[in-house]
Amino acid sequence: MKAPRAGDRLPALEIPVTRTLIVAGAIASRDYQDVHHDPEIARRKGSPDIFMNILTTNGLVGRYITDHFGPRAELRRVAIRLGAPNHPGDTMVLTGTVEEAEGDTVTVRVIGANGLGEHVTGTVTVRVPA
């Protein structure tokens, strides 16, 4: 892999948002909020269906970065903000652009969009040892 430079774009990653992914992510992160696993309660609370929690999104953003930079990549900082919810049946497409590359440290602006708009935006700083 060539050394990353500011402006480089990472290849997009499409993630099907399944009911199983949403529920499994909530369970794995010990987030037992009913809106992440019970469609009826989610609807009563104003959502059309269950939706993904931030910890699952955070993990998927980390996966996106480490899949690109390789198994030696070390996440140093992940700063994300949620927007439109991820509901079952949609697809989240993660894209990234290198904002800064200095030595073995790279900062990537990440956007995860779905059918409703931007689900997640933020930056990830990663160290990529030689």
Side-chain angles (χ1 to χ4, degrees):
M1 174 191 305
K2 70 178 181 79
R5 293 187 303 211
D8 287 353
R9 294 184 183 273
L10 280 60
L13 174 64
E14 291 188 12
I15 299 173
V17 181
T18 65
R19 192 166 299 279
T20 301
L21 175 62
I22 293 170
V23 174
I27 290 169
S29 61
R30 296 182 176 190
D31 182 347
Y32 304 115
Q33 291 293 315
D34 47 26
V35 294
H36 302 309
H37 65 83
D38 189 318
E40 285 304 313
I41 292 175
R43 282 191 273 281
R44 281 201 307 263
K45 292 184 175 182
S47 180
D49 205 338
I50 64 172
F51 53 91
M52 187 176 285
N53 73 353
I54 191 169
L55 295 172
T56 302
T57 299
N58 194 61
L60 292 170
V61 167
R63 170 194 160 195
Y64 176 59
I65 297 299
T66 58
D67 280 0
H68 178 74
F69 288 102
R72 297 189 56 195
E74 300 168 5
L75 298 177
R76 294 299 189 160
R77 182 173 185 270
V78 178
I80 61 172
R81 178 176 296 239
L82 291 183
N86 268 338
H87 294 291
D90 208 341
T91 299
M92 178 173 64
V93 180
L94 288 165
T95 57
T97 304
V98 174
E99 285 191 330
E100 186 178 333
E102 186 173 321
D104 63 358
T105 303
V106 180
T107 301
V108 179
R109 160 112 355 238
V110 176
I111 298 172
N114 61 31
L116 297 174
E118 291 182 348
H119 168 68
V120 62
T121 57
T123 57
V124 178
T125 302
V126 60
R127 181 174 171 264
V128 186

